[in-house]
Amino acid sequence: MATIKPFLLVLLFSIFSRISSSKTHHPLDPLTREELSLVQLIVKKSYPPRSSPVFHYVALDEPEKHDVLSWLAKPEPEPLPRRAQAILRVHKQTHELVVDLKARKVVSKHVHRGPGFPSLTLEEQTAANDLPLTYGPFLRSAAKRGIDVSQVVCSVFTVGWFAEEKQFIGVVKIQCFSKKDTVSVYLLPVEGLTIVVDLDEMRIVEYKDREVAPMPRAEGTEYRLSKLPLPHGPRINGARLVQENAPGFTIDGNVVRWMNWEFHVSFDARPGLVISMARIYDPDQKAFRSVMYRGHISELFVPYQDPTEDYYYKTFFDSGEFGFGVSAVSLVPNGDCPSHAVYMDAFYAGPDGTPVHVPNVFCIFERHAGEVMWRHTELAIPHVTIAESRPEVSLVVRMIVTVGNYDHVIDWEFKPSGSIKTQVGLTGILEVKAANYTHADQAAASEEAHGTYLAEHTIGLYHDHFLTYYLDIDVDGATNSFVKKNLVPRRNTNTGHHRTPRKSYWTVVTETARTESEAKIRLGVGPTELVIENPNKKTKPGNPHGYRLIPGPVIHPLLAPDDGPQIRGSFTNYNIWVTPYNKTERYAGGKYVDQSQGEDGLAVWTRRNRKIENEDIVMWHVIGFHHVPCQEDFPMMPTLSGGFELRPTNFFERSAVLKAVPPPPMKADGCGVVEP
Amino acid sequence: MATIKPFLLVLLFSIFSRISSSKTHHPLDPLTREELSLVQLIVKKSYPPRSSPVFHYVALDEPEKHDVLSWLAKPEPEPLPRRAQAILRVHKQTHELVVDLKARKVVSKHVHRGPGFPSLTLEEQTAANDLPLTYGPFLRSAAKRGIDVSQVVCSVFTVGWFAEEKQFIGVVKIQCFSKKDTVSVYLLPVEGLTIVVDLDEMRIVEYKDREVAPMPRAEGTEYRLSKLPLPHGPRINGARLVQENAPGFTIDGNVVRWMNWEFHVSFDARPGLVISMARIYDPDQKAFRSVMYRGHISELFVPYQDPTEDYYYKTFFDSGEFGFGVSAVSLVPNGDCPSHAVYMDAFYAGPDGTPVHVPNVFCIFERHAGEVMWRHTELAIPHVTIAESRPEVSLVVRMIVTVGNYDHVIDWEFKPSGSIKTQVGLTGILEVKAANYTHADQAAASEEAHGTYLAEHTIGLYHDHFLTYYLDIDVDGATNSFVKKNLVPRRNTNTGHHRTPRKSYWTVVTETARTESEAKIRLGVGPTELVIENPNKKTKPGNPHGYRLIPGPVIHPLLAPDDGPQIRGSFTNYNIWVTPYNKTERYAGGKYVDQSQGEDGLAVWTRRNRKIENEDIVMWHVIGFHHVPCQEDFPMMPTLSGGFELRPTNFFERSAVLKAVPPPPMKADGCGVVEP
């Protein structure tokens, strides 16, 4: 033994010195497994043997910020001391400890005497969840409801505080769910029971069976592909660069088909890229259903904010004055579009009528960006491991419009869930003014700079970008309504028998816009969901089919209403407009925009206050940015992006991608499919 | 000849029938090259020989919507007639024509007599741009400024309308720029000249040389990589799945290095993923510069909106009550993260202190999503073709937290431009209530549903998601200020000599927040840029280094301020808070959140109204969503995402990605690099 001891000492020393030697370790590194074990050891030793402290939280007790920054600044720094913080529950008390890992002792211990409790441990939740299953009153409640207790799982819910109850006991509420013929237990709640558990005593301290509610169906709640009935789909292609069946979509003339989408892509010299007749396949109905008859950018208003002689008039309407289609550039492969993109050409009439060829004016590509289509990990069901995840894939159609200095990357993105997303990316070169300044302070002092001083003698002028989209949404046909679902706060006025200490909540009050004036919306005022609905077509549960708008970047005009450019750009006075479909009404600034006088366009047409309820309607959405230039925009601006989403809302009976078939796994180098 | 004629006729017939036969053609297809040529022919024939109409716009005259929809519905439809619309300028008039392509004649001609002009043609712009270069007064102006006219290019700008001038003459203004030693001509404007061109007469009709301004420098305006001085960088890796040097970043312990970024990734049982000490390399300074000392999610508040017995208390604080780190799931490869992602493990202390291993709790991957980093096509310089484009690449660090039914995909994304973007994706399963309804109408009528009727007996409850981020931004060090750049509208009061007809504009008024109360911001009220600046460090032109916040989805609480959950969640009363750095202030809802009573947390700390000017400060940002469930959320919700951006603002002297080195082109199947 005598010969072994030094060896053991050396061994032990080397093990433990690995824990504290941090030559290559960062002072903010999380506690390692060894350090956590050491904390456990040290903390337990600091309590009497039978006190069984429960560890609610253990983490690095980070060094002081200035010590960390000093450490960073040194080339070969000494490791900073490692300390841990811990929050424990012992004998119905909350203890806060700090542990010095090197000295191997507790250096601070403090009892928390205020309200509130540390976060729940998984173990106590599991223990609490089991209590009802052997509790007499619960067994009787289950029997009353015809529920087999072996098909029940329960879950813990924190109880909050309601400004009345003086609570210093750590309790939780339990709600139970059925797992019979399902794993989506949360969709099958057992209602009408109140079960309160005291966590320290781990026993049910309150139980009420107030009323029986019907149990929802398990049918339709499954999401594991292997358990879902055929047919499955849509099929998600493998990662974009290595596709067995590249490019993943077909183009038949001008009609694009991809997964469950079909739409027409066209070029028009004025708006450029036009999407028409976008329809999505519904496997329930075994048919394509209309979503959008026409979508394109209607106008782009870019007013500069320098009112002096040389710049006051720079109040551009790039689409109407210059033509978005005419200004669309030939796309640069591998820069403007990824390597697997497919390109489309277009033609427009030159000034003498001769067709001008624009090669590569659109590109289309399947996007795999590492996003998640949907996912869930289920932990509520004992002995059942579920982790389901589907990678997101989408189809992008792109045009880039360059009008002078600015480049606009215009995307329409289709998702198999049924969403259509738009995005505008602003890049290119700023419009600048040369001025007699040599320092930003001079520019700031003068209030005549009208911009940011970016470089010698160079002011980047303040300006706005307002983009207006034309969206002829046709939900299951042309006859739709525009519905505002207002979120309205309410006081909780229940009294008497069913009174709860909850004082407020919000609910939804729905109003359908009857005429154009009721659909002029300035965003940012109050919370409202905006939905285009087909009032004549409903889901089986009875909700009208719809698509809602998740708006893009909100912008409001800052020019005076009587200022020429704002008269011409009056379509920016609201972020949302809805009009009855009219073939001649396409361009928000009017037909002849160059030097227009505000006599045509959206603001003028809508004065007629026409009926838009249960009609063929068009939505107009104004998004944009106020632009205060900065030096990073010089000499070339890194892309600034924004857009909006059109999202199915009770359009389908359930998620359209529930049965999406994931691609087979790819080999890490991406060349070929992993053999199963 | 007699034998050839029938052959020619057949040939001609087959050529022309190809134009009109549209068995496979869609009625909305754009005009083909042949159709455009036909339009040119037909239109010109309809005018006297010497009238030379100028074609400003030619496009499909689309069929009526109901005809298109009928066409769609038929299995083998007859092609719809093809018509074109054209807008011409002839003898100073605007003519609108409709052409029937099959009948080969003009079927409608109309003169536009109102104000406004059609879009400008490229040819007339080019012609107008040349006028100054041979115009006496301009040559004298150039000489006066020491400018060589052969080094000048000019550009056309539309003039607008200012509610005073009665304009019915088609004019534009010309501004000229220097191309000496640069191609970024827009950055070298020749100031002080007013040049007005009458487009119909194609001559200068007004010319003023008011004052000479200094010319900015050409130096620093270049963006073509081949012309930029070494060193170049950062280097953009090839598309993600086929990387010569996968994965494209290094992990040294917990420190991640990628392109020009370096940061520390840590796991803490409470917030989960923590980013620390994010720094970016500045090639000008040849050093790493600090951007963010610490960033993580501080709290997630999810109040449900059913005030009745069974649900009133469901007002969760998922991070403080359950622990975000403890609730982080093991990521599913190829679903949660793409195939080339790298994973990191973590440990936390279980309830008895024993370390619990969480494999694959974070993943890191390089994202190539087909976005554009920056781009520009330059058309202003004759005989020079420039189209530069760089593909966007970014690095994503991801954690997914599942608390019961909901899954949250939490991303931090780093861009070589210097931006840090966050994103939260909501997916998983809704919380539902079983109720005695069998149709949505019953639920709507009752006002007691507190949710959407989704399926049999199933109500998807209304609720909110409020996410609060802790952001210890350290711009070039810890001592910063929080600056509000308010966009303020102004009336144009200039009179006398330099009066212009512009009535209004906006400018920027800057205020620095001195104490905490001045930094409590409710978004959506007025347009303001929010910047964390280092007041002690400025760029060469004199702008303080900064990072600005482009906010995430704006949400305001709807619960009453005296309601228990809103007292506990009072940190949601503002979307932005700024506090002086305090190591103990990390969790917006306080330290002990479960059953807390609002006695701790952000709202309480900030009552001290501490100084935050020129101090080590922390920004807190609350984003979120009101959630009105819909059937698509059932049984599994397609991911709904939102986030914010921290964007460098005068942090760099110029764009940080100007010299980014693009990857070599990839072969279309993605396996290997194209030989140059």
Side-chain angles (χ1 to χ4, degrees):
Chain A
M1 284 295 259
T3 49
I4 293 171
K5 256 199 198 164
F7 171 75
L8 279 173
L9 282 172
V10 168
L11 188 64
L12 284 167
F13 177 77
S14 66
I15 291 171
F16 287 116
S17 65
R18 240 195 2 261
I19 294 167
S20 50
S21 104
S22 44
K23 238 191 206 156
T24 53
H25 291 181
H26 194 290
L28 298 179
D29 282 350
L31 298 175
T32 62
R33 187 207 309 253
E34 291 75 17
E35 287 172 325
L36 285 169
S37 293
L38 187 56
V39 168
Q40 176 186 34
L41 191 76
I42 295 167
V43 166
K44 282 186 149 170
K45 271 206 332 208
S46 77
Y47 281 92
R50 282 195 247 174
S51 48
S52 300
V54 176
F55 291 68
H56 280 253
Y57 176 67
V58 179
L60 178 73
D61 181 40
E62 60 159 345
E64 293 302 318
K65 185 169 174 179
H66 54 79
D67 288 335
V68 177
L69 294 172
S70 303
W71 176 92
L72 180 72
K74 297 188 186 127
E76 291 220 16
E78 282 298 298
L80 294 181
R82 297 282 284 172
R83 305 197 337 169
Q85 48 171 320
I87 298 177
L88 321 169
R89 288 283 291 175
V90 190
H91 300 315
K92 305 195 185 188
Q93 281 190 331
T94 299
H95 292 193
E96 300 171 14
L97 277 62
V98 177
V99 176
D100 183 324
L101 288 172
K102 189 166 182 180
R104 311 198 35 201
K105 57 181 204 170
V106 174
V107 294
S108 156
K109 185 184 280 193
H110 165 81
V111 176
H112 168 66
R113 301 211 181 272
F117 294 85
S119 63
L120 277 51
T121 70
L122 291 173
E123 195 183 73
E124 68 188 339
Q125 292 177 62
T126 303
N129 289 337
D130 283 341
L131 292 177
L133 307 179
T134 55
Y135 185 70
F138 179 79
L139 299 173
R140 289 191 284 281
S141 300
K144 187 162 83 177
R145 289 162 171 75
I147 292 172
D148 174 358
V149 164
S150 72
Q151 293 295 306
V152 165
V153 293
C154 301
S155 196
V156 158
F157 295 85
T158 50
V159 294
W161 174 72
F162 289 86
E164 305 185 344
E165 308 142 5
K166 294 295 170 211
Q167 268 161 214
F168 287 90
I169 301 169
V171 294
V172 292
K173 283 187 176 173
I174 303 280
Q175 191 169 10
C176 299
F177 304 87
S178 167
K179 62 168 179 152
K180 184 164 188 280
D181 301 325
T182 188
V183 293
S184 305
V185 293
Y186 299 105
L187 301 176
L188 286 303
V190 179
E191 296 289 2
L193 303 178
T194 302
I195 310 171
V196 181
V197 168
D198 176 322
L199 288 173
D200 287 310
E201 301 197 358
M202 198 48 71
R203 64 179 187 91
I204 294 173
V205 293
E206 185 184 334
Y207 187 90
K208 278 193 281 185
D209 182 345
R210 293 179 303 97
E211 60 183 341
V212 177
M215 179 65 78
R217 287 170 172 269
E219 184 192 333
T221 63
E222 183 58 67
Y223 54 89
R224 292 168 298 177
L225 195 61
S226 54
K227 309 242 185 282
L228 284 166
L230 293 171
H232 293 169
R235 184 170 296 277
I236 303 171
N237 276 334
R240 57 183 182 85
L241 290 184
V242 188
Q243 294 173 343
E244 301 255 306
N245 305 302
F249 54 92
T250 61
I251 306 182
D252 178 13
N254 281 63
V255 175
V256 177
R257 292 190 180 87
W258 172 78
M259 288 184 82
N260 47 0
W261 278 104
E262 177 194 275
F263 54 89
H264 181 272
V265 174
S266 186
F267 175 90
D268 181 306
R270 181 162 180 169
L273 170 59
V274 179
I275 305 289
S276 300
M277 305 188 72
R279 310 189 302 161
I280 190 165
Y281 185 77
D282 186 334
D284 279 5
Q285 298 189 18
K286 294 182 174 43
F288 276 92
R289 297 169 59 193
S290 70
V291 177
M292 184 172 76
Y293 184 77
R294 173 78 34 76
H296 62 77
I297 289 180
S298 178
E299 190 53 87
L300 166 58
F301 177 34
V302 187
Y304 282 81
Q305 301 302 323
D306 181 335
T308 63
E309 173 89 37
D310 293 328
Y311 289 92
Y312 78 91
Y313 65 93
K314 293 200 178 193
T315 51
F316 306 113
F317 292 84
D318 283 340
S319 190
E321 293 178 347
F322 295 94
F324 248 36
V326 169
S327 309
V329 297
S330 289
L331 298 166
V332 176
N334 299 313
D336 289 337
C337 306
S339 59
H340 63 303
V342 171
Y343 295 83
M344 291 174 75
D345 293 0
F347 294 89
Y348 67 86
D352 73 340
T354 305
V356 175
H357 179 212
V358 190
N360 299 346
V361 76
F362 301 147
C363 72
I364 305 181
F365 61 94
E366 208 180 59
R367 164 177 280 154
H368 298 252
E371 300 279 28
V372 176
M373 181 184 282
W374 62 259
R375 66 101 53 215
H376 186 60
T377 292
E378 189 52 73
L379 297 166
I381 307 170
H383 317 305
V384 174
T385 305
I386 298 174
E388 293 281 338
S389 182
R390 304 286 181 270
E392 180 68 274
V393 65
S394 59
L395 192 74
V396 178
V397 184
R398 171 172 294 164
M399 159 183 76
I400 297 183
V401 174
T402 303
V403 184
N405 54 305
Y406 254 114
D407 298 64
H408 305 82
V409 182
I410 312 283
D411 289 355
W412 288 81
E413 184 176 14
F414 296 83
K415 293 165 61 125
S417 61
S419 280
I420 300 174
K421 293 180 84 164
T422 67
Q423 181 169 272
V424 174
L426 305 173
T427 179
I429 302 182
L430 287 177
E431 182 147 349
V432 305
K433 169 162 113 165
N436 214 344
Y437 304 119
T438 52
H439 196 269
D441 291 345
Q442 301 166 9
S446 101
E447 251 235 31
E448 277 172 20
H450 303 297
T452 308
Y453 186 68
L454 300 179
E456 205 172 298
H457 299 313
T458 308
I459 295 280
L461 293 167
Y462 300 142
H463 58 283
D464 296 320
H465 305 262
F466 293 89
L467 285 117
T468 307
Y469 279 76
Y470 174 99
L471 302 163
D472 182 5
I473 312 289
D474 277 5
V475 175
D476 270 329
T479 310
N480 294 162
S481 293
F482 179 66
V483 174
K484 296 177 281 186
K485 297 186 178 177
N486 300 306
L487 275 54
V488 174
R490 293 247 192 269
R491 202 73 188 169
N492 184 21
T493 51
N494 69 351
T495 53
H497 189 59
H498 291 297
R499 187 188 167 281
T500 69
R502 177 78 175 259
K503 297 197 165 103
S504 62
Y505 62 96
W506 57 261
T507 190
V508 172
V509 174
T510 299
E511 44 171 320
T512 300
R514 291 165 301 179
T515 62
E516 292 175 286
S517 62
E518 292 179 12
K520 292 181 184 178
I521 295 178
R522 209 181 139 96
L523 290 170
V525 176
T528 304
E529 297 236 323
L530 306 170
V531 195
I532 305 253
E533 283 184 356
N534 187 323
N536 313 304
K537 295 199 179 155
K538 302 188 181 195
T539 59
K540 295 199 188 81
N543 294 302
H545 294 160
Y547 257 76
R548 78 182 187 270
L549 172 71
I550 299 180
V554 176
I555 186 174
H556 303 305
L558 290 170
L559 296 184
D562 64 334
D563 203 350
Q566 192 57 35
I567 294 172
R568 299 170 67 221
S570 53
F571 56 85
T572 63
N573 291 344
Y574 294 96
N575 302 107
I576 313 279
W577 310 67
V578 177
T579 56
Y581 174 81
N582 182 319
K583 194 176 157 186
T584 65
E585 293 175 9
R586 295 277 294 277
Y587 303 112
K591 190 170 193 177
Y592 296 101
V593 182
D594 180 31
Q595 295 176 247
S596 62
Q597 299 179 18
E599 72 293 344
D600 189 12
L602 199 43
V604 172
W605 309 327
T606 53
R607 281 188 212 140
R608 283 173 283 171
N609 203 23
R610 298 163 292 184
K611 174 170 179 276
I612 54 169
E613 180 173 8
N614 214 6
E615 296 282 343
D616 186 0
I617 56 179
V618 172
M619 179 163 67
W620 310 70
H621 184 29
V622 177
I623 63 175
F625 309 89
H626 296 295
H627 195 167
V628 177
C630 60
Q631 290 184 223
E632 284 81 1
D633 298 336
F634 184 95
M636 183 73 64
M637 181 176 164
T639 307
L640 178 74
S641 300
F644 59 88
E645 179 175 353
L646 296 162
R647 195 171 168 105
T649 302
N650 304 312
F651 183 81
F652 296 108
E653 295 293 336
R654 70 194 66 72
S655 161
V657 288
L658 183 64
K659 296 202 221 173
V661 180
M666 313 297 293
K667 272 172 34 191
D669 72 356
C671 291
V673 169
V674 172
E675 299 304 325
Chain B
M1 288 290 267
T3 48
I4 293 170
K5 257 199 200 168
F7 170 75
L8 282 171
L9 281 172
V10 168
L11 190 63
L12 285 167
F13 177 77
S14 66
I15 291 170
F16 286 117
S17 65
R18 237 191 9 257
I19 295 167
S20 50
S21 104
S22 43
K23 239 190 206 157
T24 54
H25 291 181
H26 194 289
L28 298 179
D29 282 351
L31 298 175
T32 63
R33 186 207 309 253
E34 290 76 17
E35 288 174 324
L36 285 170
S37 293
L38 186 56
V39 168
Q40 175 185 33
L41 190 75
I42 295 167
V43 166
K44 281 185 150 171
K45 267 202 338 201
S46 77
Y47 281 92
R50 279 191 250 175
S51 49
S52 300
V54 176
F55 291 70
H56 280 253
Y57 175 67
V58 179
L60 178 73
D61 180 40
E62 60 160 344
E64 293 302 318
K65 185 170 174 178
H66 53 80
D67 288 335
V68 177
L69 294 172
S70 304
W71 177 90
L72 180 72
K74 296 187 187 130
E76 291 221 15
E78 282 296 301
L80 295 182
R82 297 282 284 172
R83 305 196 338 167
Q85 50 169 320
I87 298 178
L88 321 169
R89 288 284 291 173
V90 190
H91 299 315
K92 304 194 185 188
Q93 281 190 332
T94 299
H95 291 192
E96 299 171 13
L97 277 63
V98 177
V99 176
D100 183 325
L101 288 172
K102 189 165 181 181
R104 318 215 7 217
K105 57 182 203 167
V106 174
V107 294
S108 157
K109 185 183 281 194
H110 165 81
V111 176
H112 168 68
R113 301 213 180 273
F117 294 85
S119 63
L120 277 52
T121 71
L122 291 173
E123 195 183 73
E124 69 188 338
Q125 292 178 62
T126 303
N129 288 337
D130 283 342
L131 292 177
L133 307 180
T134 55
Y135 184 70
F138 179 78
L139 298 174
R140 288 191 285 280
S141 299
K144 188 160 83 176
R145 289 162 173 76
I147 292 171
D148 174 358
V149 163
S150 73
Q151 292 294 305
V152 165
V153 294
C154 301
S155 195
V156 158
F157 294 86
T158 49
V159 294
W161 174 72
F162 289 87
E164 305 186 345
E165 307 142 3
K166 295 293 170 214
Q167 271 163 210
F168 286 91
I169 301 170
V171 294
V172 292
K173 283 187 177 174
I174 303 279
Q175 192 169 9
C176 298
F177 304 86
S178 168
K179 62 169 180 152
K180 183 165 188 282
D181 300 326
T182 188
V183 293
S184 306
V185 294
Y186 298 105
L187 300 177
L188 284 304
V190 179
E191 296 288 1
L193 303 177
T194 301
I195 309 171
V196 181
V197 167
D198 177 323
L199 288 174
D200 288 310
E201 303 200 357
M202 197 49 72
R203 64 179 186 93
I204 293 172
V205 293
E206 185 183 335
Y207 187 90
K208 278 193 281 186
D209 182 345
R210 294 177 303 97
E211 61 182 340
V212 177
M215 179 65 78
R217 286 170 171 269
E219 183 192 333
T221 62
E222 183 58 69
Y223 53 89
R224 292 168 297 177
L225 196 60
S226 53
K227 308 242 186 285
L228 284 166
L230 293 171
H232 293 170
R235 185 170 295 275
I236 303 170
N237 276 333
R240 57 184 181 85
L241 289 184
V242 188
Q243 294 173 345
E244 301 255 306
N245 305 303
F249 55 91
T250 61
I251 305 182
D252 179 14
N254 281 63
V255 176
V256 178
R257 294 190 179 88
W258 172 78
M259 290 183 82
N260 48 0
W261 277 105
E262 176 193 275
F263 55 87
H264 181 272
V265 174
S266 185
F267 174 92
D268 180 307
R270 181 162 180 169
L273 171 58
V274 178
I275 305 288
S276 299
M277 306 188 71
R279 311 190 301 160
I280 190 165
Y281 186 77
D282 186 334
D284 278 5
Q285 298 190 18
K286 295 186 176 41
F288 276 92
R289 298 169 59 193
S290 69
V291 176
M292 184 172 76
Y293 184 78
R294 172 77 35 76
H296 61 77
I297 288 180
S298 178
E299 191 52 87
L300 166 59
F301 177 34
V302 187
Y304 283 80
Q305 301 303 323
D306 181 335
T308 62
E309 172 89 37
D310 293 328
Y311 288 93
Y312 79 91
Y313 65 94
K314 294 201 179 193
T315 51
F316 306 113
F317 292 83
D318 283 340
S319 189
E321 292 178 349
F322 295 94
F324 249 36
V326 170
S327 309
V329 297
S330 288
L331 299 166
V332 176
N334 300 312
D336 289 337
C337 306
S339 59
H340 63 303
V342 171
Y343 295 83
M344 291 174 76
D345 293 359
F347 295 89
Y348 67 87
D352 73 340
T354 306
V356 175
H357 180 211
V358 190
N360 300 345
V361 76
F362 301 148
C363 72
I364 305 181
F365 60 94
E366 209 179 58
R367 164 176 281 155
H368 298 253
E371 300 278 30
V372 176
M373 180 183 282
W374 61 259
R375 64 102 53 217
H376 186 60
T377 293
E378 189 51 73
L379 297 165
I381 307 171
H383 318 303
V384 176
T385 305
I386 298 175
E388 292 281 338
S389 182
R390 304 287 180 271
E392 180 68 276
V393 65
S394 59
L395 192 74
V396 178
V397 184
R398 171 172 295 164
M399 158 182 77
I400 296 182
V401 174
T402 303
V403 185
N405 53 304
Y406 254 114
D407 298 64
H408 306 82
V409 182
I410 312 282
D411 289 355
W412 288 82
E413 184 175 14
F414 295 83
K415 294 166 61 128
S417 61
S419 280
I420 300 175
K421 293 180 83 164
T422 67
Q423 181 169 272
V424 175
L426 305 173
T427 179
I429 302 182
L430 287 176
E431 181 146 348
V432 304
K433 170 163 110 164
N436 214 345
Y437 305 119
T438 52
H439 196 269
D441 292 344
Q442 301 165 10
S446 102
E447 251 235 32
E448 277 172 20
H450 302 297
T452 309
Y453 186 68
L454 300 179
E456 204 171 299
H457 299 315
T458 307
I459 295 280
L461 293 168
Y462 301 142
H463 59 282
D464 296 321
H465 304 261
F466 293 88
L467 286 117
T468 306
Y469 279 77
Y470 174 97
L471 304 162
D472 183 5
I473 311 290
D474 277 5
V475 175
D476 270 330
T479 309
N480 294 162
S481 293
F482 178 66
V483 174
K484 295 177 281 186
K485 297 187 179 177
N486 300 307
L487 274 55
V488 174
R490 292 247 192 270
R491 202 74 187 167
N492 185 20
T493 52
N494 69 350
T495 53
H497 188 60
H498 292 298
R499 187 188 166 283
T500 68
R502 177 78 175 260
K503 297 195 165 102
S504 62
Y505 61 96
W506 57 260
T507 190
V508 171
V509 174
T510 299
E511 45 171 319
T512 300
R514 290 163 302 179
T515 62
E516 293 175 284
S517 62
E518 292 178 12
K520 292 181 186 179
I521 295 178
R522 210 179 137 94
L523 291 170
V525 176
T528 304
E529 297 236 323
L530 305 169
V531 194
I532 304 254
E533 284 185 357
N534 187 324
N536 312 303
K537 295 198 179 156
K538 303 191 180 191
T539 59
K540 295 199 189 80
N543 294 303
H545 294 161
Y547 257 76
R548 77 182 187 272
L549 172 71
I550 300 180
V554 175
I555 186 174
H556 304 304
L558 290 169
L559 295 184
D562 63 334
D563 203 350
Q566 191 57 35
I567 294 173
R568 299 169 67 222
S570 53
F571 55 86
T572 63
N573 291 344
Y574 295 96
N575 303 109
I576 312 278
W577 310 67
V578 178
T579 56
Y581 173 82
N582 181 318
K583 193 177 159 186
T584 65
E585 292 173 9
R586 296 277 294 277
Y587 304 112
K591 190 172 194 176
Y592 296 102
V593 181
D594 180 30
Q595 294 175 247
S596 62
Q597 298 178 18
E599 71 293 344
D600 190 13
L602 199 43
V604 172
W605 309 327
T606 53
R607 282 188 211 137
R608 284 173 282 171
N609 203 23
R610 298 164 291 184
K611 173 170 181 275
I612 54 169
E613 179 175 9
N614 214 6
E615 296 283 343
D616 186 0
I617 55 179
V618 171
M619 179 163 66
W620 310 70
H621 184 28
V622 177
I623 63 174
F625 309 90
H626 296 296
H627 195 167
V628 177
C630 61
Q631 290 184 223
E632 285 81 1
D633 297 337
F634 184 94
M636 183 73 64
M637 181 176 165
T639 307
L640 178 74
S641 301
F644 59 88
E645 180 176 352
L646 296 163
R647 195 172 169 104
T649 302
N650 304 310
F651 183 81
F652 296 109
E653 294 292 337
R654 70 194 66 73
S655 161
V657 287
L658 184 63
K659 296 201 219 174
V661 180
M666 313 297 293
K667 270 169 40 185
D669 73 355
C671 290
V673 169
V674 172
E675 301 302 325

